[in-house]
Amino acid sequence: MKLVVIDGQSGRMGQVLIERVKAAGLPCEIIAVGANAIATSAMLKAGADAGATGENPAVVNCRDADVIAGPIGILAADSLLGEITPAMAVAVGQSSARKLLLPVNHCNNVVVGTQSMSLSKLMDEAVELLRAICGEAQ
């Protein structure tokens, strides 16, 4: 299963998710796509199998991803302080992959009906959802 993790700014959210997925031993090929080089580097250090930076890697890797994970802002052009380009948001949105979107309620994206959780709790929930998706794929 190809898991594409997209993150920007410091890459901390993507980094923690990749660390947790690796620790859980989920059968995923993890591709890190950073909106900037710092984010990509953080996700590669966390154990991603491969990584690249910028718009074109996001577009290319969303085409054949099984799951795309990241903050909910990856669906909104100009989010993450402008790091998510319109083409990146369209690539995520049009991908047939399942989207595992972490409801980070800031940067003008507020998800109604979600509760505020710590990054650690969000990651626990994300890994459990991935575990279920991996089980479906087998």
Side-chain angles (χ1 to χ4, degrees):
M1 181 175 77
K2 181 177 177 180
L3 168 63
V4 175
V5 180
I6 302 174
D7 201 5
Q9 298 178 337
S10 70
R12 179 75 177 134
M13 184 175 288
Q15 176 184 21
V16 173
L17 180 59
I18 291 166
E19 288 170 351
R20 297 278 184 103
V21 169
K22 288 289 189 177
L26 299 180
C28 299
E29 173 193 16
I30 303 174
I31 307 300
V33 177
N36 63 62
I38 293 169
T40 304
S41 177
M43 292 188 285
L44 284 168
K45 285 179 186 171
D49 298 303
T53 302
E55 179 178 276
N56 200 55
V59 171
V60 169
N61 284 286
C62 285
R63 287 181 193 149
D64 64 348
D66 296 301
V67 178
I68 299 170
I72 195 162
I74 64 175
L75 281 173
D78 300 332
S79 65
L80 278 65
L81 299 175
E83 291 185 341
I84 301 300
T85 68
M88 292 168 80
V90 167
V92 172
Q94 289 183 340
S95 174
S96 62
R98 285 182 128 165
K99 284 85 171 174
L100 201 155
L101 304 169
L102 300 160
V104 181
N105 289 329
H106 65 310
C107 292
N108 293 328
N109 293 313
V110 178
V111 181
V112 176
T114 61
Q115 57 186 359
S116 292
M117 287 192 251
S118 68
L119 182 60
S120 182
K121 285 221 177 259
L122 281 172
M123 293 304 142
D124 290 343
E125 194 168 316
V127 169
E128 287 310 308
L129 287 169
L130 279 170
R131 186 182 315 280
I133 291 168
C134 288
E136 291 172 6
Q138 294 179 359

